[in-house]
Amino acid sequence: MVRFALAAATALLAVNLWTGAPLLAIWCGSRVQNSTGLTMTTVGVVLGVLSVTVALLVFLLTRVEAAYRVATGQETRRRRATWLRSMRDERADYAERRPMSGYEKVLVGAVVAAVLAFEAWFFLFAGSSIGSG
């Protein structure tokens, strides 16, 4: 039950990373915009809200991943940035093959669903802008 709840939280956070954060940022920008012309204040609000929201969602995703690893009994390793690794140390990481965890499967599924939804909208519902000018 805990694994399912964590997987659902992962899916919710991942989908909101692609949809909720941009929509919230645009909505906040529309609250600031008071005329028909685009202002730099509006652009700044949209970029600021988007940056903060995405950072918060990524932080929450890392916390959910850690909780998922604890709930499933997976080993937790300290992460090291690629550029901080020794060149001799790098071969061992690539040689190690492991299956994707449930958390990673949910993230990949959310990204694939977002891409498919965008393609469906673009090709089926957006209409053509060619020759309409």
Side-chain angles (χ1 to χ4, degrees):
M1 186 63 174
V2 173
R3 288 174 36 182
F4 179 76
L6 290 171
T10 300
L12 182 68
L13 289 169
V15 168
N16 275 309
L17 192 64
W18 298 101
T19 58
L23 289 175
L24 177 66
I26 290 171
W27 180 80
C28 289
S30 74
R31 300 286 108 199
V32 173
Q33 185 72 24
N34 57 5
S35 64
T36 57
L38 184 63
T39 63
M40 288 307 291
T41 303
T42 304
V43 173
V45 166
V46 169
L47 291 176
V49 169
L50 185 62
S51 299
V52 169
T53 308
V54 167
L56 178 66
L57 288 171
V58 169
F59 173 76
L60 290 173
L61 276 169
T62 59
R63 302 298 282 184
V64 169
E65 179 191 16
Y68 185 87
R69 286 183 178 275
V70 168
T72 57
Q74 294 176 358
E75 71 176 49
T76 56
R77 285 190 280 166
R78 188 172 184 175
R79 295 181 188 199
R80 181 180 290 173
T82 305
W83 59 85
L84 294 176
R85 292 183 188 153
S86 167
M87 291 300 286
R88 293 174 297 197
D89 191 27
E90 218 163 315
R91 297 286 278 164
D93 288 341
Y94 288 120
E96 175 187 332
R97 289 198 156 262
R98 59 177 179 79
M100 286 189 349
S101 69
Y103 173 83
E104 293 166 335
K105 290 176 186 176
V106 170
L107 278 180
V108 169
V111 171
V112 168
V115 169
L116 290 176
F118 172 75
E119 287 179 351
W121 168 80
F122 185 80
F123 290 115
L124 301 175
F125 303 111
S128 176
S129 62
I130 300 174
S132 64

